[in-house]
Amino acid sequence: MKIVVMAPTYNERENIVELVQQLHENIPRALVLIVDDSSPDGTFQEVKKMMKKDKRLRLLFRDRSIKGRGWAGRDGFVKSLAMGADIVVEMDADLSHQPKYIPALVSPILQGKADVVIGSRYISGGKDMDRPLHRQLTSNLAKKYLKFVLGLKAADPTSGFRAFSKEALKKIDVHSLKARDPFTVSEILYRCYQAGLSVREVPIEFVDRTQGTSKLSLSTLLNYLGKALRLRLGLKYE
Ligand SMILES: Nc1nc2c(ncn2[C@@H]2O[C@H](COP(=O)(O)OP(=O)(O)OP(=O)(O)O)[C@@H](O)[C@H]2O)c(=O)[nH]1
Ligand SMILES: [Mg+2]
């Protein structure tokens, strides 16, 4: 079984070397695919430098004009399948998602016990970072909303640390994903449930990023909730 670990990056120069090192240590058999949208900080140049010596590392370089976490992930999944992946792991590149959990994420798929596995902060053994109370409340409300509107019944429907079998990605028609932004995480999970795939969760401890800058804002969150409604109602969104 061929495993590809796919991480979209935008300005992750300070994290990328450490990430790739940790991935090789924790899951030596996997290929690593970095999907970079021409990061101004030169993340892709760092990747290219490593690729000279690292045979397990690949780069999907995208033009900045088509930038977006969602489309980058979609293209990364398509590329992973073209690389012959049987299992694709998607994760953030800022070390919030720790490579040490990948063996546990892929294990249910290897054993034929699941099609999709979510690295979950909100099941027993999992942990989120210590957020201020208002952030915790927002996150909780968003979770309830997603469950209500889209039927995403997972304990952690917004986790972007997940493993998919090749068959699951084909079933959800991954190349036709629409969300350009982080809403992609919910769009994908919605399609998984709609397709009747078996979804499992394994606990992860989420670590706040220490390097680089955050791209999440209140307007992003509101936008996200609006898109969930549009998805459910079959209206257009991007
Ligand atoms: N290729 C690509 N990757 C992106 C883009 N936006 C974000 N990413 C990557 O997607 C992952 C998640 O983005 P983050 O900025 O960590 O988002 P977050 O985890 O919600 O917020 P913070 O960790 O607080 O910054 C990271 O690996 C980013 O580098 C984008 O437009 N294109
Ligand atoms: Mg992050």
Side-chain angles (χ1 to χ4, degrees):
M1 293 278 250
K2 191 165 177 175
I3 300 171
V4 175
V5 179
M6 185 271 290
T9 57
Y10 197 74
N11 290 344
E12 301 290 359
R13 189 179 197 127
E14 291 148 295
N15 294 312
I16 197 71
V17 175
E18 176 70 21
L19 173 76
V20 173
Q21 258 170 19
Q22 284 193 27
L23 284 170
H24 288 334
E25 274 164 31
N26 286 279
I27 184 102
R29 60 186 283 199
L31 291 178
V32 176
L33 173 64
I34 303 299
V35 186
D36 189 77
D37 289 357
S38 322
S39 292
D41 77 348
T43 307
F44 57 96
Q45 284 152 344
E46 207 61 53
V47 175
K48 281 184 183 162
K49 221 191 286 169
M50 284 189 276
M51 278 167 71
K52 289 191 178 136
K53 287 191 196 144
D54 184 341
K55 299 289 167 231
R56 289 172 291 177
L57 182 60
R58 305 280 185 281
L59 172 68
L60 177 58
F61 181 70
R62 293 175 9 112
D63 193 275
R64 206 175 297 164
S65 63
I66 54 167
K67 175 186 175 317
R69 162 71 183 84
W71 289 357
R74 175 198 64 196
D75 292 357
F77 282 123
V78 171
K79 172 82 177 168
S80 301
L81 291 174
M83 284 162 62
D86 296 299
I87 297 176
V88 184
V89 176
E90 70 163 341
M91 69 188 299
D92 292 354
D94 57 1
L95 299 166
S96 284
H97 295 153
Q98 302 176 74
K100 67 176 182 187
Y101 294 118
I102 294 179
L105 268 179
V106 297
S107 162
I109 300 179
L110 286 170
Q111 293 172 40
K113 291 182 177 163
D115 306 305
V116 178
V117 183
I118 303 174
S120 177
R121 294 162 286 188
Y122 310 126
I123 58 173
S124 169
K127 195 175 181 297
D128 199 358
M129 61 188 174
D130 297 323
R131 294 176 202 267
L133 191 64
H134 70 278
R135 283 288 303 270
Q136 286 180 39
L137 283 172
T138 323
S139 153
N140 239 317
L141 276 172
K143 225 172 70 182
K144 289 209 164 76
Y145 177 89
L146 287 172
K147 190 171 177 182
F148 180 69
V149 174
L150 293 178
L152 307 184
K153 56 188 181 207
D156 195 350
T158 54
S159 169
F161 195 11
R162 307 185 288 201
F164 302 86
S165 69
K166 159 178 82 180
E167 292 78 16
L169 292 174
K170 287 183 180 163
K171 256 193 178 162
I172 64 167
D173 222 357
V174 81
H175 64 273
S176 72
L177 288 167
K178 295 191 177 65
R180 179 175 185 146
D181 57 12
F183 180 64
T184 189
V185 174
S186 298
E187 181 187 33
I188 291 175
L189 190 59
Y190 179 67
R191 287 195 185 189
C192 290
Y193 283 121
Q194 291 280 306
L197 296 168
S198 99
V199 179
R200 278 206 178 196
E201 290 180 86
V202 298
I204 60 150
E205 190 171 326
F206 185 94
V207 187
D208 198 5
R209 71 154 73 237
T210 56
Q211 302 292 329
T213 48
S214 174
K215 290 132 209 151
L216 192 72
S217 64
L218 180 65
S219 67
T220 316
L221 179 73
L222 293 176
N223 186 286
Y224 196 110
L225 300 182
K227 277 181 190 164
L229 201 55
R230 299 186 73 81
L231 171 59
R232 177 60 199 274
L233 297 174
L235 300 173
K236 258 182 97 168
Y237 64 89
E238 188 179 88

